[in-house]
Amino acid sequence: MLLRQLEYLSALAREGHFGRAAEACHVSQPALSAAIRKLEAELDVQIVQRGQRFEGFTPEGKQVLLWAHRILAEQDALRHELASMRGGLSGVLRIGAIPTAQTIVSLLTAPMFADHPRVRISIESLSSRQIVHRLAEFDLDIGLTYVDGEPLGTVRVTPLYRERYLLLTPADGRFAERDSVGWGELVDTPLCLLSSVMQNRRILDRNFAEAGVTVSPSVETDTVSAIYAHVATGQWSSVIAHAWLYLFGVPAGLKVVPLNRPNVTNQVGLVLADRDPEPMLARALLDATSRVDIQEKLDQLLTNYVR
């Protein structure tokens, strides 16, 4: 069994198409298909369900794929450790971050880059469920997500901060001069919120339900920047997490007003697969993060915008 065969299998799972997988691996499609057939012969199991096109993996193939991800991850870990011994950590750190935490990722990556300038960093915007899945598949090194809500699987958790929620609203809006706003008061307010596939939105919906109301936003989006763009028109308001202030602040013509604290607050943190040895790149990020008090930074920032 060659590592290259496992790389082809991983690419096929990622791309879901023989041609795209071959292109990603810089080989011809017949070469990739032949390598996977050879792997099937060596293991004496059918791995891939074949028809006119790729149709997924057999039950045995799914198990082989899980081991392929694990073996390739261990190969990367070995390379990183040897590179570190030769003269400094290098390689690509793969981070998956929920959109609501994307705004503060640089608070984590900047100190790590200062420690390890040869490391390259890849950041993907993913849902909390995608992060859990891809950590389990060894397709991410570390995730930045909610850590005290929906199931995370078998992971190690480093809490970073608890979200505070604010109403972002036009400066001439009916709530702009208030000291605080209740969740139930927003029932008739035109809102722009993240889409319901995102955990942030599910958290907001629970908070509205706790206040006895259900809201139907006029606009749903999957990016924080689109929320700010819509509120800036003066036609909508939004419920934002205070971490967004780190990047976006409060643009001219808008105000933020604290929302009453819900009974349950949600915590954002770093998660990595529970395995030994820990990936060196993930450990390097955790070590750099330990020197930064994210909660304090965000809470201090909040005082600049909330009277």
Side-chain angles (χ1 to χ4, degrees):
M1 186 189 308
L2 298 176
L3 288 171
R4 192 63 173 159
Q5 291 171 299
L6 301 182
E7 290 172 354
Y8 292 165
L9 194 64
S10 179
L12 180 59
R14 184 174 63 251
E15 300 294 337
H17 186 275
F18 280 102
R20 290 195 298 269
E23 184 178 352
C25 294
H26 308 290
V27 296
S28 68
Q29 181 173 333
L32 181 137
S33 297
I36 292 177
R37 286 188 183 276
K38 183 179 179 182
L39 181 61
E40 290 177 318
E42 291 176 358
L43 297 176
D44 194 26
V45 295
Q46 182 180 344
I47 295 174
V48 177
Q49 293 178 345
R50 295 176 178 87
Q52 293 289 83
R53 57 181 63 85
F54 173 68
E55 296 181 356
F57 294 95
T58 65
E60 296 85 354
K62 292 177 182 178
Q63 192 65 25
V64 173
L65 181 62
L66 180 61
W67 276 97
H69 288 316
R70 184 176 301 172
I71 291 168
L72 293 173
E74 294 295 344
Q75 176 192 219
D76 286 341
L78 174 60
R79 286 175 174 169
H80 296 155
E81 186 164 347
L82 293 176
S84 179
M85 294 173 68
R86 286 196 302 267
L89 200 57
S90 62
V92 180
L93 173 66
R94 302 164 301 172
I95 303 173
I98 55 175
T100 55
Q102 285 269 354
T103 56
I104 61 92
V105 174
S106 62
L107 288 173
L108 312 177
T109 54
M112 179 184 173
F113 186 73
D115 293 342
H116 307 286
R118 295 176 57 197
V119 171
R120 291 179 293 130
I121 300 169
S122 171
I123 304 167
E124 288 188 70
S125 179
L126 301 170
S127 71
S128 55
R129 290 170 178 171
Q130 288 174 318
I131 289 172
V132 170
H133 174 73
R134 290 181 59 177
L135 282 172
E137 295 288 322
F138 299 91
D139 200 29
L140 285 178
D141 297 306
I142 199 161
L144 179 60
T145 185
Y146 295 103
V147 298
D148 56 0
E150 298 174 2
L152 292 172
T154 306
V155 296
R156 299 175 185 176
V157 174
T158 300
L160 295 178
Y161 65 92
R162 288 198 174 274
E163 281 189 335
R164 293 277 304 277
Y165 301 110
L166 309 166
L167 178 68
L168 180 68
T169 194
D172 58 357
R174 64 187 178 112
F175 297 117
E177 299 305 316
R178 295 271 296 274
D179 292 329
S180 65
V181 177
W183 291 81
E185 295 181 81
L186 302 181
V187 65
D188 296 321
T189 301
L191 293 174
C192 175
L193 301 176
L194 290 175
S195 62
S196 57
V197 299
M198 297 187 176
Q199 191 172 351
N200 170 268
R201 172 62 184 284
R202 296 193 290 273
I203 290 170
L204 299 189
D205 285 346
R206 286 197 295 271
N207 292 343
F208 283 120
E210 183 182 296
V213 300
T214 300
V215 300
S216 298
S218 304
V219 179
E220 294 183 331
T221 178
D222 62 356
T223 66
V224 173
S225 58
I227 287 179
Y228 270 79
H230 280 80
V231 178
T233 67
Q235 298 183 67
W236 292 277
S237 296
S238 185
V239 177
I240 69 169
H242 75 311
W244 302 2
L245 298 175
Y246 178 73
L247 180 61
F248 292 102
V250 181
L254 303 180
K255 293 282 292 290
V256 287
V257 183
L259 280 158
N260 294 343
R261 292 208 181 198
N263 289 332
V264 177
T265 59
N266 292 87
Q267 193 161 49
V268 175
L270 292 168
V271 294
L272 70 157
D274 185 16
R275 62 188 178 96
D276 290 310
E278 286 182 334
M280 291 190 69
L281 296 180
R283 170 43 56 190
L285 182 69
L286 291 175
D287 290 343
T289 299
S290 68
R291 305 196 302 269
V292 183
D293 190 332
I294 304 296
Q295 185 74 64
E296 182 180 8
K297 281 183 174 292
L298 295 181
D299 289 348
Q300 287 178 347
L301 181 65
L302 187 60
T303 63
N304 297 334
Y305 296 105
V306 176
R307 60 190 178 203

